Amino acid sequence: LAKTTQPISMDSYEGQEVNITCSHNNIATNDYITWYQQFPSQGPRFIIQGYKTKVTNEVASLFIPADRKSSTLSLPRVSLSDTAVYYCLVGLGSYIPTFGRGTSLIVHP
Amino acid sequence: SAVISQKPSRDICQRGTSLTIQCQVDSQVTMMFWYRQQPGQSLTLIATANQGSEATYESGFVIDKFPISRPNLTFSTLTVSNMSPEDSSIYLCSVVWVRGQYEQYFGPGTRLTVT
């Protein structure tokens, strides 16, 4: 099982860009990298997924270097409502998605 | 995206009893997973419940304690048997669609408190 390592917590301010990096040194060839957002008392919500290089959607960007041993979630211009726990998930290609500890992001006014 | 509902949304149970949690999906999906999330912790995978095969349990979880049924492509149940306070947690079901990429969706969770 691919394990992930993320910072436990991060602080930011409204309007700033936030970058959260996840390490996954033993990622398998057919694994995807997916990021989720979770608010208290809710299930995780899909943010973005990638396999290599860069992926961008309407809420975030995902940067994946060539060796795929890490990935960075980039949230542009965060707001207070982005305060949540963010999980980096590696898997699905191997049908065994496992969660790391997640990063608790707190956005301050 | 898939819409997933779980019943019950929460329950308070006495130790030694069992609770069955239902997961209903609005579309047919092959891959389904059950997770547990204890307060302030990350999600822990309990088992994989693909339709047409026996559930596959992760280390630390056994079928006698967490029996799973997957009778069709839109429904599954997880039973927490002979409960103890240590089973107090949020239980979430999750499904995966393969549509070019792997899309995983989660239910709202069932908050279980064992007294």
Side-chain angles (χ1 to χ4, degrees):
Chain A
L1 301 180
K3 293 186 177 179
T4 60
T5 303
Q6 305 173 231
I8 294 175
S9 64
M10 294 183 69
D11 289 88
S12 185
Y13 292 89
E14 284 190 292
Q16 290 188 335
E17 177 184 78
V18 172
N19 295 309
I20 306 175
T21 297
C22 177
S23 297
H24 27 80
N25 291 321
N26 59 340
I27 186 171
T29 301
N30 57 350
D31 283 340
Y32 285 76
I33 301 159
T34 312
W35 285 79
Y36 292 86
Q37 176 190 57
Q38 187 177 29
F39 298 112
S41 302
Q42 295 185 23
R45 184 177 72 96
F46 173 93
I47 300 175
I48 196 167
Q49 183 179 85
Y51 184 80
K52 60 181 178 181
T53 64
K54 176 184 175 182
V55 180
T56 297
N57 61 22
E58 63 276 9
V59 297
S61 294
L62 178 60
F63 299 91
I64 304 170
D67 65 7
R68 304 202 326 124
K69 293 185 177 182
S70 67
S71 59
T72 299
L73 173 73
S74 181
L75 304 172
R77 298 178 299 281
V78 295
S79 64
L80 296 177
S81 62
D82 292 317
T83 294
V85 178
Y86 292 82
Y87 293 99
C88 164
L89 185 71
V90 174
L92 298 184
S94 58
Y95 292 3
I96 310 177
T98 54
F99 280 76
R101 296 184 61 181
T103 298
S104 176
L105 172 66
I106 299 175
V107 179
H108 303 276
Chain B
S1 64
V3 176
I4 305 171
S5 60
Q6 288 185 230
K7 290 181 180 180
S9 58
R10 59 177 62 219
D11 206 343
I12 300 174
C13 303
Q14 292 188 340
R15 68 168 66 216
T17 63
S18 297
L19 176 72
T20 296
I21 302 168
Q22 299 179 6
C23 177
Q24 181 74 53
V25 188
D26 68 342
S27 305
Q28 294 185 334
V29 291
T30 300
M31 288 185 278
M32 183 176 284
F33 305 92
W34 284 97
Y35 289 84
R36 180 173 74 181
Q37 186 172 32
Q38 296 179 312
Q41 302 296 314
S42 181
L43 286 78
T44 300
L45 182 64
I46 297 173
T48 302
N50 293 337
Q51 201 274 336
S53 61
E54 296 292 320
T56 302
Y57 290 82
E58 297 300 305
S59 176
F61 298 96
V62 295
I63 186 171
D64 290 345
K65 175 68 176 178
F66 297 100
I68 290 171
S69 77
R70 185 78 202 276
N72 56 52
L73 291 173
T74 63
F75 186 79
S76 177
T77 66
L78 169 75
T79 299
V80 186
S81 304
N82 188 24
M83 288 184 284
S84 67
E86 291 72 35
D87 295 319
S88 296
S89 187
I90 298 173
Y91 292 85
L92 301 101
C93 70
S94 175
V95 301
V96 170
W97 280 7
V98 182
R99 299 189 297 186
Q101 62 181 10
Y102 293 88
E103 300 180 11
Q104 185 172 14
Y105 300 94
F106 290 82
T110 296
R111 183 180 294 273
L112 170 63
T113 302
V114 183
T115 60

